């Protein structure tokens, strides 16, 4: 009854924020995984994993906080999309969405061997995510296993929560399960990102030490 624009455009904005944030984090992480000299003085090889993770997360979230204000603020006004949710409730929902998406993107960046793979991954996944999110195609017509697997991606509960809260005018208590799911994803992906960073630092330190030990006798000879 609200029309195509009022119901479809808002979740598309959420998907754009999610996919571009994943792409940005993936490009940065994948670029740092590309072959480099072991003795390079890169900051990500010297910084403690926890500090690096916190600062990187804060930077991405700060940038995308302003982009979120643009999409959910100016763009809503430009397309005359009604806001049924309270601003404080939207902020409460945006925080775990950006946090979980950032940490998810950092995890992907830590396992991608090249930076361009992040863009390819985002392009391939965008259309499937649109359909399994349930706002264009009913989830009842999608295999249950695909719907279940899609729940690991932060944009799925985020889109459903934003639609329920802002487009349907529900109370915040109606999205508590989705809100908690985003916080759970933040905890899981944050722990995984820290573990991947720690493992990467240990492996590179060991490889650098092995290279120095191997090269020392040659230099003496």
């Amino acid at each position: 009854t609200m029309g195509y624009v009022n119901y479809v455009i808002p979740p598309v904005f959420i998907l754009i924020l999610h996919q571009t944030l994943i792409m940005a984090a993936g490009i940065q992480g994948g670029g740092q995984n590309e072959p480099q000299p072991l003795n390079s003085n890169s900051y990500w090889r010297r910084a403690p994993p926890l500090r690096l993770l916190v600062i990187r997360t804060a930077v991405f979230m700060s940038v995308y906080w302003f982009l979120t204000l643009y999409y959910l603020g100016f763009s809503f006004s430009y397309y005359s999309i009604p806001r049924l949710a309270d601003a404080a409730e939207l902020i409460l929902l945006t925080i775990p969405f950006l946090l979980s998406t950032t940490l998810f993107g950092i995890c992907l960046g830590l396992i991608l061997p090249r930076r361009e793979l992040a863009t390819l991954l985002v392009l391939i996944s965008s259309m499937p995510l649109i359909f399994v999110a349930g706002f264009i195609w009913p989830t009842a017509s999608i295999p249950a296993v695909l719907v279940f697997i899609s729940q690991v991606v932060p944009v799925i509960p985020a889109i459903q929560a934003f639609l329920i809260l802002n487009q349907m005018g529900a109370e915040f208590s109606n999205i508590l399960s989705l809100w908690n799911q985003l916080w759970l994803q933040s905890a899981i992906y944050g722990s995984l990102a820290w573990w991947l960073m720690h493992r990467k630092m240990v492996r590179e330190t060991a490889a650098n030490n092995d290279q120095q030990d191997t090269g020392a006798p040659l230099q003496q000879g």
Side-chain angles (χ1 to χ4, degrees):
T1 59
M2 297 178 63
Y4 181 84
V5 173
N6 292 341
Y7 190 78
V8 173
I9 295 299
V12 169
F13 286 160
I14 302 301
L15 181 67
I16 291 173
L17 289 169
H18 179 272
Q19 295 296 83
T20 55
L21 179 50
I22 294 293
M23 187 186 304
I27 289 175
Q28 183 188 43
Q32 294 175 357
N33 290 334
E34 293 176 352
Q36 299 175 15
L38 290 174
N39 58 354
S40 63
N41 197 29
S42 303
Y43 72 90
W44 61 86
R45 293 186 172 182
R46 296 179 285 105
L50 182 58
R51 182 186 303 175
L52 180 62
L53 178 61
V54 170
I55 294 176
R56 185 171 296 181
T57 302
V59 170
F60 278 120
M61 287 192 63
S62 298
V63 173
Y64 270 80
W65 182 260
F66 290 103
L67 292 175
T68 302
L69 293 178
Y70 168 77
Y71 278 108
L72 301 185
F74 170 79
S75 296
F76 268 43
S77 300
Y78 182 81
Y79 289 103
S80 300
I81 299 174
R83 298 184 186 88
L84 302 181
D86 184 72
E89 294 177 339
L90 289 177
I91 292 174
L92 283 177
L93 181 56
T94 300
I95 292 174
F97 164 61
L98 292 181
L99 180 60
S100 58
T101 303
T102 300
L103 294 171
F104 181 63
I106 291 175
C107 288
L108 289 179
L110 289 169
I111 63 178
L112 294 177
R114 300 190 308 275
R115 68 182 66 191
E116 65 271 13
L117 292 178
T119 304
L120 180 63
L121 182 63
V122 167
L123 292 176
I124 293 176
S125 64
S126 293
M127 287 303 297
L129 288 176
I130 288 179
F131 281 95
V132 296
F135 68 95
I136 287 182
W137 194 261
T139 54
S141 301
I142 303 174
V145 63
L146 295 181
V147 177
F148 177 78
I149 294 175
S150 68
Q151 297 302 313
V152 304
V153 185
V155 73
I156 300 301
I159 285 178
Q160 295 171 353
F162 273 105
L163 282 176
I164 294 173
L165 188 64
N166 192 68
Q167 267 48 57
M168 298 181 183
E171 299 292 334
F172 196 84
S173 58
N174 297 118
I175 64 164
L176 277 180
S177 60
L178 298 170
W179 190 67
N180 291 330
Q181 182 178 345
L182 289 171
W183 281 114
L184 178 61
Q185 289 176 340
S186 301
I188 293 175
Y189 293 134
S191 301
L192 180 60
W194 174 85
W195 179 76
L196 290 172
M197 284 184 174
H198 178 73
R199 187 185 67 167
K200 180 181 178 182
M201 184 184 69
V202 171
R203 289 168 54 185
E204 290 182 348
T205 301
N208 194 17
N209 292 336
D210 291 342
Q211 185 187 55
Q212 293 177 356
D213 294 341
T214 304
L218 296 176
Q219 294 175 356
Q220 293 175 0

